[in-house]
Amino acid sequence: MAIVTSLLFLIAIVLQTVESKYMEYDTSAEIVPGKLNVHLVAHSHDDVGWLKTVDQYYVGTNGTIQAACVQDILDSLIPALLADKNRKFIYVEQAFFQRWWRQQSQAIQSITKQFISSGQLEFINGGMCMHDEAAPHYIDMIDQTTLGHRFIKQEFDLAPRIGWQIDPFGHSAVQAYLLGAEVGFDSLFFGRIDYQDRAKRYVDKSLEVVWQGSKSLGSSAQIFAGAFPSNYEPPSGFYYEVNDGSRDIRIVQDDIDLFDYNVQKQVDDFVAAALAQANITRTNHIMWTMGTDFQYQYATTWFRNMDKLIHYVNQDGRINALYSTPSIYTDAKHAANEYWPLKTDDYFPYADRVNAYWTGYFTSRPGLKGYVRVMSAYYLAARQLEFFIGRSKTKSATDSLADALAIAQHHDAVSGTSKQHVANDYSKRLYIGYKEAKEVVAASFARLTESAPRSGYKALATEFQECPLLNISYCPATEVNISHGKKLTVVVYNPLGWKREDIVKIPVISDNVIVQDSTGKEVESQFVPLVNTALRLRNYYAAAYVGESPSVTPKYWLAFKATVPPLGFNTYTITSSKGTSRLAKKKPYKLIGSQNETVEVGPGALKLVYSADGGLSQYINKETLVNETIKQSYKFYSSYDGSQDHEYFQASGAYVFRPNGTYPVLEKKKISLNVYRGPLYDEVHQRINSWIYQITRVYKDKDHAEFEFTVGPIPIDDGIGKEVATQISTTLKTNKIFYTDSSGRDFMKRVRDYRADWTIKVDQPIAGNYYPINLGIYSKDDNNELSILVDRSVGGSSIEDGQLELMLHRRLLHDDSRGVAEALNETVCALDECYGLTVQGKYYARIDPLGGGAAKWRRSYGQELYSPLLLAFAEQDGNKGIDLQKPIFSGFESSYSLPENVALITLQELEDEKVLLRLAHLYEVGEDKDLSVKATVELKNLFQGRQISDVKEMSLSGNQERDEMLKNRLVWKVEGSKDGNVGISRGSPLDSEELVVELYPMEIRTFLVDLDHREEPGIAVK
């Protein structure tokens, strides 16, 4: 008994001594009127590839490069959010979330849906990635956003409200009005603006603005936009990622029995940081971005400390802290009834400090940029062809390509700012997607031509071949011996909504062939020899990409004019012939005579004149009466290595363009010309130096010049990185003004050494005047306009009046200290040899009288460049092979075509058999006197042989009805504005009987269309 009593006494002492230290924090704070409200937004910025590939980031492998695992982040969130219903988190990148979602049990999916329903977890942005805003084309931006938004709608029945572009390196006007307001966003937030711009906005309290990105759509497509005070991280001292040795992590230590108790210090620091931010922000609401790259891998560490901050700061009472989201913050800003400054241009170019303009990435990795553009066009066409035959019930053949293209729009992908192995991964994914998509393209051609071999459609689908390496003259399908009754059928598909005529060029082994159209009539053609430079490039790169050297060597390019109906195809047959050769006549010119000696090329109205030194000297158009002095040349900028910097090291790198001198690339004063003349076009071949080769083409029926460049390998044996540019110079008096496109859509006015929002201090007069180009660049004076269009995203500028330049290729030897930790030095290995990357591409130039058709060319031909003709080939051997019952096809009703100011940018059958349709007006207000007007499209004529049963107009990303989106969207007040909608026109609501769509300048209208049942089911493609 005494022992029991003693034990009870000891237990009592222990219970009195070991007092519970559990602390329950009050995290229930909401907005408090009259106080400064600090909105704590918990987030993780998860790059869809950068230092590691997208899959390596997701599963956490390759940790020696970066200790980042997105799977851990999402797994860690579940218990952290369950622990406190007041905690909130936002998530952005659907490429990661969808991977995670597919792996979860029904129980975890159910919990996650509860979080989303209650607002604890909110999807922001909602695209597959946080796309770049300089290098992607607007159609790709729409597609990747749609892919993410449709998943969110299907799984969670909601539409994201907020744009969250926190890491792209500058921001386009198209992002604001098109990928912001037109998808239904109420606000858009971002982290990176020019350091000089930010400093001025501190003073003006104008970090947050109302952004009207389109002069054509005005306030009907404006959005509230906010730049963060510094970046997208928390203020200094409030970072809580566990095991991050690179930062000073000052947790909130509130146990008074332990050392380093710091509650009051943390509260004081919090209040001080909040008041400092409030001094540069309007209203009594500020946002703290609580997170950065790949944070919350152990989410409890962040939430534990934020719980404490909210609890103790609110106990202190000077300000109010709360768990929040960008949606809550946006609603609070709107409720404040404030008038906001107006922003009407964009946020390019971006510099984060002196001598550090992030304008190099506009061109970085030009091969990847070109491949993304090619695959983008292919995806658009493949979806159309899949629609014509019907989507498989199980899986679209274009899904893999859609996913790969979406990921490639990420701001470290097509931007060219990832590590090399990651860039390779993006290309690999695109190729895998292409391989799957080309099966449905072949199957579509088989079905639509009603080809009927004994083995049926499925076998025939393998007989239609394509040539993805046609740009390097490699096309096994056309490099065949066409004799003894053999024929080669060429299917030429036009993804545009209007009739099209263009020149088709394919490599062949003989010039003893003719081209016939579908009626058997011979088509005018010509042959141009394949020069040694092209063959060397072909053999090396074919071996690199295919894995073996080509077994056949073609001798000629066969060129013929194809005429193709809108949204359809025509077929041509190549057969043997013993008639007169149509080989283009070659004449070498070595201009070594007098200064008056010239060479004129061009079989049509356009003539290019070359002078005695072999350089381009005159542009003459006999129809438009343009006669302009013109020069075209190459140069390189030597890349600064940072060795002389004292305060900030800044070399030229994947992101940053910092030149250290400009040098011509000529190795001799005179350049010889080889001119090939033919009935369709003339070619001028020039060896500029040992690593630049140029072919200039002037077509009989076109009023522009085509410049095909082959640049590389750029030599670096002198230890100097080089950034290669081409320039076209004229006598135009342009007064520092030029124009570049915004993501392939609107054109933005640029003024050299000038910014509309602040007085710029110019420390880099070249790099600081570079802008991204996706469609083109132009300049003008009182008489003429000079326009250039491009085949991929590049950087460009007008460094001198009358001159435009494009940067074509970069090869660098130093990293620019922005995180990638790798020099931009691309190499290709094949045949036991490795060389620097050679890039082949094209750009197109034209001079017009002012107001004389330049805008129409930029828009119409620009659309043709984005959506080139798609070619497929099938060989016929005597009576074997194929029999085309329908050699001509159009997806439209007979004789219908779209107006020439409207483009069909999406035609896609969805998994529920509905059809996603997008129509885009191509012109801005006032851009063209005839085409900047209302256009109409008759929906009934777009679906040959099928009836429309229902149509709903949707938001741009197709995730909500447009009327509902407009009803819910916030309207913002603008300083000095009375009625911002004056003069803004929008198409009328669609009449369900007439089904005629109106489009005003720069409008894009999106529809979900129900059609009557298809007679035949879609073809299943593996």
Side-chain angles (χ1 to χ4, degrees), residues 5-15:
T5 302
S6 299
L7 286 173
L8 290 174
F9 178 73
L10 288 172
I11 291 171
I13 293 175
V14 169
L15 289 174

Side-chain angles (χ1 to χ4, degrees), residues 516-531:
Q516 297 172 313
D517 64 17
S518 55
T519 68
K521 180 182 178 181
E522 183 175 352
V523 176
E524 187 174 37
S525 60
Q526 77 178 55
F527 297 85
V528 179
L530 265 165
V531 297

Side-chain angles (χ1 to χ4, degrees), residues 86 128 255 289 302 316 449 459 663 681 689 701 787 892 906 972-973:
N86 297 311
M128 296 297 285
D255 189 335
T289 48
W302 279 93
D316 176 85
T449 58
Y663 303 90
Y681 61 90
N689 67 3
D701 298 323
S787 305
F892 293 163
T906 307
W972 299 87
K973 295 182 176 180

Side-chain angles (χ1 to χ4, degrees), residues 945-1015:
R946 300 185 69 183
Q947 298 296 314
I948 297 173
S949 58
D950 187 45
V951 182
K952 292 180 180 178
E953 183 164 10
M954 309 297 289
S955 65
L956 183 69
S957 59
N959 65 345
Q960 55 189 312
E961 292 192 36
R962 181 168 176 82
D963 285 345
E964 189 72 15
M965 179 196 81
L966 293 175
K967 183 176 70 174
N968 294 331
R969 194 165 70 192
L970 300 180
V971 178
W972 299 87
K973 295 182 176 180
V974 178
E975 290 179 343
S977 174
K978 294 181 180 179
D979 187 353
N981 279 312
V982 173
I984 300 301
S985 299
R986 289 277 198 164
S988 301
L990 185 68
D991 185 287
S992 59
E993 297 295 327
E994 295 296 325
L995 295 179
V996 175
V997 177
E998 296 179 349
L999 292 131
Y1000 281 86
M1002 282 291 106
E1003 265 198 296
I1004 298 179
R1005 298 185 70 176
T1006 303
F1007 301 92
L1008 279 181
V1009 183
D1010 282 307
L1011 299 172
D1012 59 354
H1013 188 66
R1014 192 187 303 272
E1015 294 182 4

Side-chain angles (χ1 to χ4, degrees), residues 552-568:
V552 176
T553 300
K555 294 182 179 180
Y556 309 99
W557 281 106
L558 165 62
F560 64 92
K561 180 185 288 187
T563 302
V564 196
L567 202 70

